[in-house]
Amino acid sequence: MSRVIGIDLGTTNSCVTVLDNGQPTVIPNTGGYKTTPSMFAISQDGKRLVGHLAKRQAITNSKNTVFAAKRLIGRRFDSPEVQKSIDLCPYEIVRGPNDDPRIKIGGKTFTCPEISGIILREMKRVAEEYLGEPVQEAVITVPAYFNDTQRQCTKDAGKIAGLEVLRIINEPTAAAMAYGMQRNQDEKIAVYDLGGGTFDISILELSEGVIEVLATAGHTFLGGEDFDRRIVGHLVEWFEQAEGIDLRTDTMALQRLKDAAEKAKCDLSIRESSEINLPFIASDAQGPRHLNYELTRDTLEGLVSDIVDGTLKTVEACVRDAGVQAQEIDQVVLVGGQTRMPLVQKAATDFFGKRPHKGVNPDEVVALGAAIQGGALVGKDQNVLLLDVTPLSLGIATYGGHFARLIERNTTVPVSKGHNFTTTRDNQSAVKIRVLQGESENASDNDLLGEFVLSGIRPAPKGEPEVEVSFDIDANGIVSVSARDQATGKEQSITVNATGTLSDEEISQIIEDNELYEVQLKG
Amino acid sequence: MSEPGEGDEGRKILGLSAGCDPTALQLNPAEGFLLSRIDGQTPWRLLREIGGLMPEEVDLCLETWLARGIVDVAGLEEKKEPPPSQAPPLETRSERSRDGGAPPAPHEPPEAIDESQIDRDLDLSAEVQRSILEFEARLHRPYHELLGVERNADVKQIKRAYFNLCKDYHPDRYFRRKIGDHAGRLDRIFKKILEAYELLSDPTTRAEVERSLDAVPPPPGGGPQRPLSKLERLRQRMPFKIPEAVMNERRAKAADFFDAARFAMENQNYVEAASSVRLAIAFDPFNDEYKKAFAEVQGKATEMRAGRLLEEAEGMDSSRMKEAYRLYEETLLYRPHDPAVNDKAAELALEMGELDKAFEYAERATLHSPQVGRYHRTLARVYRSKSDAGHAVRELQNAIELDPGDEEAKKMLDLLRPRRGARGGN
């Protein structure tokens, strides 16, 4: 049997790992880099480019280069996140037939799972090249806050890449697994993960190889890119004042600014100031204009301190959720490139009253955990067991549009829970069970996973019949819901197949298309 | 010394000691079965009948465990029958039990599982399958029992117990393995463990759980005895009567098991046969035919087990002496009076420096077979190690007298004699 790889499919960078003699190991790509940019582009002459190649030409081909597609995956086109992305991204985002966002580059429209699939295929290729054998199975990580649709879309992406996804696991949990491998003590740890596009905070408990998630929280739309954007915004404003030229509509300039901002940001993690030098950024009647700006650490911290403070509010809520005090946390693990920033480290240190743990590479730790979980599942490593939890609460819609939670978020799976409900009208003969996922008290604000009707309830005054609704989640995260009329014993149930935004036919079509493309490439 | 089966001893009710963790013991399955019968209710004499071992072996085990503090005396059986001096012999006593004299043996041992559900074709060892089946059979037990924690366990202990159970029963542990029906069982077990952990780790829900357990006040006299359930109290107060229809059903089941046992016996599969008869007895505890058959088959099974242990032990070189010694000691549990085994155990005990044990075994060997010279030689070696040259010489002389070709004994005697000779010369 082939080996199971672990993939951290990041918003900005992805990382692939494998268990090598029981040790999780990062697989470098052909360029020797341990991470690969999650970027996909179609070049001017129609070539498909992935990873570093895509990044290298991103400045000159910004309209046909996709980045941060992870922020779009599994969302509705009208969602604020997609709308925000439309404002920010140089590439075109259009409404798909299933109300899903699709990406139009190089005259072709791609679905989001397809884009992620292309990145995953690249990671698979990197692994196969390194291992010298075909790879078929993977464990992939997602942000803790991904809902079922987003998780399913990620699975679909795996399928498109030719991978069987054994399990989707949460990024902070994966980080803890990698961490738990290295240290074998009983402790509570906080995983503060500030990556390119998402922020997660999780409180976990490690004990003798068992990992339990006490609480997890975060934002799917907060990360290092927001830092970059603040810098870009600052530079644009400064340039407008200094030179009187507005760069906001110039996609090529914006891409250069973003690139420079990212580089300066990284510089400022080790230096006090960094020079931004962008010759020929614009031109007007007087000729070409250059941008020369000295960005200091103080300025940067001033630009982003509210973002960092914002993460701490989430941290505070999560710690409270976990039922622990900040001082009780034994270790703080920082994950994600953005945590290299001294301001972030200081914020975490101040909050928890202890210095974050060093020795875990923030860019690789999540992917390492994925490989460990892969090994734990297929039986190579029996010393680790992950107790997975539901990321969001599950329940049903009740009278008045309220949301009745049956399974609270952060509940360990597999689990079953039941509750009795009743009718709201006299002689009501049927009830509609709407299965929802989310944290809002208003049913309509949560995601609808599925619905069904239980009919044949014996006529009775309202409030008299008893209908037991049971939720069941198995170890693979598959949710089934049943409703049972206690009087007649009549029962209805559904298995909530987490639906992605693509149908099975569409996925097979995409796979077929890609195969054609592969042949085309080789020919 | 009074026989434990008779008199006051036999009316003793044994219970597991409070701090005892039975999983830490080194027991064979038969002993494990006996241990699992000890429930703080069944008196010693009944344990001799249902313990799954020969009565003497039950006594030996119970005495050992009492001495080692694994079990202790939970109390004396209530006086509901004539004084022990008038107690009729075993068989008739069982008859009395059926009439409702004493609390009956547990009719449904909680861990009794249907061995036929163990499927050798699965990607799961029989032990794991058994543990899954046994755990599933216990799912109705109170939450703290499921987690295996004391009533007063703190949150940390509860968590640790939960984590440990997760390692064995979380479905991911058997990911992609061929586990058949056990998948559903694991799912049920894990959900129940999770429920127990969730309820017991939250002070509010835990208080509720405990209230429901305490709804039945502890029996008068209190003390360290565990509180009895409602059903148990009912049983204590009145003779437990099983409806005839249920009893017939059980007898039919018992007969099925007994048939299976006979079949296994014919195939000389005594271990399997013993297990089937044991189940037959569990369903029909007062059937004398079963009990007689059980004694016979258990004897055969232990004989085989001892034989296998011996084989194992004999194949070992000195580097594995400790293990061999343990195996011989274990063999002695089955064949306490076998002189050859005692002799071998004595030799190994001597090597291990356990002089008292060595003496006990060597002496036992010579007592049971006084005509074998070799055993006297071993006893002599023990005496020599105890610096008791006088006895050593006497035993060596015995050995040589019984076996004049025993060169080793002669050599030993020569080595001991000069000293004696020197003393004589003075």
Side-chain angles (χ1 to χ4, degrees):
Chain A
M1 192 185 244
S2 71
R3 294 212 251 178
V4 181
I5 53 172
I7 301 176
D8 171 11
L9 177 61
T11 307
T12 42
N13 288 295
S14 295
C15 184
V16 60
T17 54
V18 71
L19 273 195
D20 203 0
N21 287 326
Q23 276 302 311
T25 312
V26 178
I27 301 178
N29 61 26
T30 19
Y33 296 99
K34 290 194 165 182
T35 60
T36 302
S38 305
M39 288 178 123
F40 168 64
I42 296 185
S43 72
Q44 308 291 10
D45 53 357
K47 271 212 184 92
R48 290 184 172 198
L49 307 169
V50 190
H52 286 284
L53 278 180
K55 193 176 185 180
R56 217 170 289 158
Q57 54 85 67
I59 293 174
T60 51
N61 189 23
S62 59
K63 272 190 183 302
N64 293 315
T65 304
V66 188
F67 61 90
K70 190 179 176 183
R71 284 183 158 171
L72 307 173
I73 198 165
R75 295 186 184 278
R76 289 191 307 273
F77 185 79
D78 292 321
S79 68
E81 291 87 355
V82 173
Q83 292 305 312
K84 202 170 166 191
S85 292
I86 291 173
D87 289 346
L88 294 168
C89 295
Y91 55 86
E92 195 179 352
I93 301 170
V94 298
R95 186 191 294 266
N98 307 332
D99 246 357
D100 55 324
R102 299 200 172 182
I103 292 158
K104 204 170 164 187
I105 57 168
K108 194 178 178 306
T109 308
F110 293 87
T111 64
C112 294
E114 203 173 349
I115 300 281
S116 291
I118 290 166
I119 313 288
L120 288 174
R121 180 184 290 274
E122 174 69 9
M123 303 318 287
K124 176 176 183 257
R125 196 189 59 75
V126 165
E128 285 175 340
E129 219 158 79
Y130 175 86
L131 295 171
E133 63 186 36
V135 168
Q136 269 130 29
E137 297 172 329
V139 171
I140 301 178
T141 60
V142 296
Y145 256 55
F146 260 28
N147 66 20
D148 270 3
T149 308
Q150 290 166 300
R151 282 163 204 260
Q152 188 56 44
C153 282
T154 306
K155 272 192 179 173
D156 290 347
K159 213 185 274 177
I160 289 169
L163 286 168
E164 189 193 335
V165 181
L166 296 187
R167 209 44 77 76
I168 296 280
I169 62 172
N170 290 334
E171 288 157 6
T173 313
M177 289 196 90
Y179 182 69
M181 273 282 285
Q182 295 169 349
R183 309 165 57 90
N184 224 345
Q185 309 173 355
D186 289 8
E187 49 191 8
K188 291 194 178 73
I189 70 168
V191 180
Y192 179 106
D193 177 355
L194 191 55
T198 57
F199 168 64
D200 284 299
I201 172 73
S202 301
I203 311 297
L204 308 108
E205 183 158 8
L206 314 188
S207 175
E208 296 173 25
V210 181
I211 299 172
E212 190 193 23
V213 181
L214 298 179
T216 165
H219 296 286
T220 44
F221 228 88
L222 173 71
E225 293 197 342
D226 295 290
F227 289 56
D228 299 347
R229 204 169 300 114
R230 289 283 174 91
I231 300 171
V232 170
H234 176 73
L235 293 174
V236 167
E237 256 171 48
W238 175 82
F239 194 72
E240 193 174 23
Q241 279 171 5
E243 304 285 341
I245 297 173
D246 181 7
L247 297 175
R248 284 182 192 88
T249 50
D250 184 345
T251 51
M252 204 177 274
L254 281 177
Q255 193 75 55
R256 285 184 74 184
L257 282 167
K258 183 191 179 304
D259 198 55
E262 192 184 337
K263 194 175 161 293
K265 180 185 74 177
C266 294
D267 266 5
L268 291 177
S269 289
I270 16 179
R271 287 190 196 88
E272 285 297 328
S273 83
S274 174
E275 179 133 337
I276 296 174
N277 205 342
L278 296 169
F280 311 105
I281 187 88
S283 67
D284 61 5
Q286 276 97 56
R289 298 296 176 88
H290 315 300
L291 187 150
N292 276 304
Y293 185 80
E294 177 96 9
L295 185 67
T296 64
R297 189 185 279 180
D298 285 347
T299 313
L300 174 62
E301 292 183 351
L303 287 173
V304 300
S305 63
D306 63 313
I307 302 181
V308 177
D309 290 348
T311 67
L312 290 184
K313 282 200 189 104
T314 312
V315 172
E316 201 176 356
C318 184
V319 169
R320 208 181 316 120
D321 240 19
V324 296
Q325 303 286 321
Q327 311 86 263
E328 285 179 62
I329 302 293
D330 298 301
Q331 291 284 346
V332 181
V333 180
L334 299 182
V335 177
Q338 192 57 57
T339 60
R340 290 209 168 88
M341 185 180 189
L343 179 69
V344 173
Q345 293 182 359
K346 186 175 178 297
T349 308
D350 290 348
F351 183 89
F352 289 105
K354 54 180 65 73
R355 297 196 66 79
H357 179 69
K358 302 267 180 196
V360 182
N361 188 329
D363 296 321
E364 300 166 3
V365 63
V366 168
L368 293 173
I372 293 166
Q373 169 68 346
L377 281 177
V378 299
K380 291 204 181 77
D381 182 0
Q382 292 280 299
N383 297 318
V384 180
L385 179 71
L386 167 60
L387 293 180
D388 215 351
V389 297
T390 53
L392 296 165
S393 299
L394 285 164
I396 63 169
T398 58
Y399 186 65
H402 294 296
F403 175 54
R405 278 162 220 237
L406 272 96
I407 296 183
E408 294 276 342
R409 67 159 185 257
N410 296 330
T411 302
T412 304
V413 294
V415 67
S416 14
K417 296 251 162 104
H419 198 267
N420 275 339
F421 293 90
T422 187
T423 53
T424 53
R425 291 192 316 271
D426 290 342
N427 297 325
Q428 188 176 340
S429 67
V431 286
K432 190 175 196 181
I433 308 291
R434 288 163 53 81
V435 181
L436 302 168
Q437 180 179 46
E439 302 310 321
S440 170
E441 299 304 320
N442 288 329
S444 57
D445 293 342
N446 293 321
D447 294 320
L448 179 68
L449 295 182
E451 54 189 356
F452 64 99
V453 171
L454 177 69
S455 56
I457 297 173
R458 239 192 332 243
K462 67 176 176 189
E464 211 164 84
E466 282 195 351
V467 176
E468 189 189 26
V469 177
S470 314
F471 272 64
D472 187 282
I473 309 178
D474 74 7
N476 293 310
I478 295 179
V479 181
S480 38
V481 182
S482 66
R484 186 172 181 277
D485 179 3
Q486 302 285 47
T488 62
K490 226 174 129 87
E491 196 172 317
Q492 275 291 326
S493 65
I494 52 164
T495 298
V496 183
N497 288 317
T499 41
T501 49
L502 294 180
S503 67
D504 285 350
E505 291 80 49
E506 282 174 297
I507 293 173
S508 342
Q509 187 60 47
I510 290 169
I511 293 174
E512 214 171 282
D513 289 354
N514 278 330
E515 273 166 8
L516 282 176
Y517 180 76
E518 293 257 300
V519 175
Q520 217 177 307
L521 251 186
K522 280 165 196 155
Chain B
M1 195 181 103
S2 76
E3 269 296 299
E6 324 285 330
D8 275 358
E9 289 285 330
R11 289 169 51 245
K12 266 185 192 163
I13 299 172
L14 300 178
L16 289 183
S17 301
C20 160
D21 171 18
T23 55
L25 303 172
Q26 293 273 337
L27 300 182
N28 64 45
E31 292 162 349
F33 179 80
L34 174 60
L35 190 70
S36 73
R37 303 304 89 184
I38 299 174
D39 55 359
Q41 276 195 308
T42 313
W44 190 311
R45 63 177 178 79
L46 279 179
L47 286 176
R48 297 176 105 222
E49 292 179 59
I50 64 158
L53 294 165
M54 299 291 282
E56 307 87 274
E57 292 172 330
V58 170
D59 291 345
L60 182 65
C61 282
L62 294 181
E63 278 169 27
T64 318
W65 292 343
L66 265 177
R68 289 177 61 185
I70 295 159
V71 298
D72 49 27
V73 179
L76 282 182
E77 194 179 353
E78 279 181 22
K79 288 209 171 174
K80 277 187 185 164
E81 47 180 343
S85 56
Q86 292 166 28
L90 276 179
E91 271 68 32
T92 22
R93 245 188 282 170
S94 308
E95 288 297 317
R96 283 190 43 76
S97 302
R98 200 195 307 187
D99 296 335
H107 287 277
E108 288 171 300
E111 289 92 358
I113 54 162
D114 181 357
E115 295 272 331
S116 71
Q117 285 176 310
I118 294 181
D119 182 349
R120 311 264 163 196
D121 289 340
L122 294 180
D123 201 1
L124 272 184
S125 72
E127 291 83 76
V128 172
Q129 293 190 44
R130 197 167 288 125
S131 84
I132 291 172
L133 288 165
E134 281 173 1
F135 205 107
E136 197 197 23
R138 293 199 296 126
L139 283 187
H140 61 280
R141 308 290 303 159
Y143 290 119
H144 64 271
E145 274 185 39
L146 286 184
L147 291 183
V149 296
E150 297 287 324
R151 278 284 297 277
N152 57 0
D154 62 25
V155 181
K156 223 172 173 171
Q157 288 167 322
I158 289 170
K159 180 160 280 176
R160 187 169 295 266
Y162 163 68
F163 278 168
N164 278 326
L165 288 171
C166 283
K167 282 189 196 165
D168 291 334
Y169 298 107
H170 192 289
D172 272 0
R173 185 46 88 216
Y174 309 101
F175 186 79
R176 272 221 185 137
R177 288 215 233 158
K178 191 177 146 205
I179 61 172
D181 293 343
H182 294 304
R185 286 191 191 101
L186 283 170
D187 190 70
R188 285 191 288 280
I189 290 172
F190 182 77
K191 283 172 182 168
K192 196 79 184 181
I193 295 171
L194 174 65
E195 190 178 312
Y197 168 62
E198 281 185 344
L199 290 175
L200 292 184
S201 53
D202 176 336
T204 326
T205 49
R206 180 173 179 173
E208 239 168 78
V209 168
E210 279 168 4
R211 256 200 306 283
S212 72
L213 282 177
D214 292 335
V216 181
Q225 241 173 314
R226 80 182 169 89
L228 298 180
S229 75
K230 212 177 209 168
L231 189 65
E232 286 167 333
R233 287 205 316 151
L234 268 176
R235 273 188 191 168
Q236 270 199 347
R237 225 177 316 134
M238 64 180 77
F240 187 65
K241 261 226 160 104
I242 301 170
E244 198 52 30
V246 176
M247 212 43 231
N248 284 336
E249 210 174 286
R250 286 186 182 172
R251 284 194 197 109
K253 257 190 201 162
D256 283 349
F257 278 118
F258 193 63
D259 279 346
R262 258 201 299 243
F263 180 74
M265 246 185 286
E266 276 163 27
N267 288 305
Q268 305 194 332
N269 188 347
Y270 297 112
V271 177
E272 172 118 25
S275 136
S276 290
V277 183
R278 191 179 293 145
L279 284 168
I281 293 175
F283 281 110
D284 189 358
F286 305 113
N287 186 314
D288 290 340
E289 190 192 351
Y290 296 169
K291 275 190 266 189
K292 238 159 74 193
F294 188 63
E296 185 191 332
V297 74
Q298 188 72 6
K300 286 244 164 73
T302 50
E303 185 82 24
M304 282 183 70
R305 167 103 177 112
R308 259 205 313 277
L309 285 171
L310 265 184
E311 253 171 55
E312 256 182 272
E314 268 161 10
M316 282 180 186
D317 56 29
S318 58
S319 69
R320 293 169 70 192
M321 198 169 343
K322 204 169 170 186
E323 209 177 333
Y325 179 52
R326 188 186 61 75
L327 286 170
Y328 272 105
E329 279 208 303
E330 205 179 327
T331 311
L332 280 174
L333 283 179
Y334 299 108
R335 291 195 207 162
H337 310 302
D338 188 329
V341 178
N342 272 301
D343 178 64
K344 197 80 188 169
E347 272 182 19
L348 286 164
L350 197 57
E351 295 290 341
M352 310 283 300
E354 298 205 43
L355 287 184
D356 290 345
K357 287 263 181 159
F359 180 69
E360 188 193 325
Y361 296 143
E363 191 180 44
R364 218 191 280 168
T366 54
L367 285 176
H368 281 288
S369 286
Q371 301 311 314
V372 180
R374 196 152 46 85
Y375 300 159
H376 291 278
R377 190 183 70 209
T378 307
L379 187 54
R381 283 177 56 201
V382 178
Y383 276 128
R384 191 182 59 184
S385 298
K386 291 170 79 125
S387 310
D388 185 346
H391 278 101
V393 167
R394 208 184 61 203
E395 288 303 333
L396 285 171
Q397 281 166 342
N398 279 338
I400 294 163
E401 196 182 315
L402 288 163
D403 180 9
D406 190 340
E407 293 303 328
E408 208 182 322
K410 287 179 190 158
K411 232 183 271 166
M412 278 173 67
L413 194 58
D414 285 338
L415 283 172
L416 282 169
R417 259 190 180 143
R419 245 183 281 161
R420 216 167 142 253
R423 204 165 54 195
N426 275 340

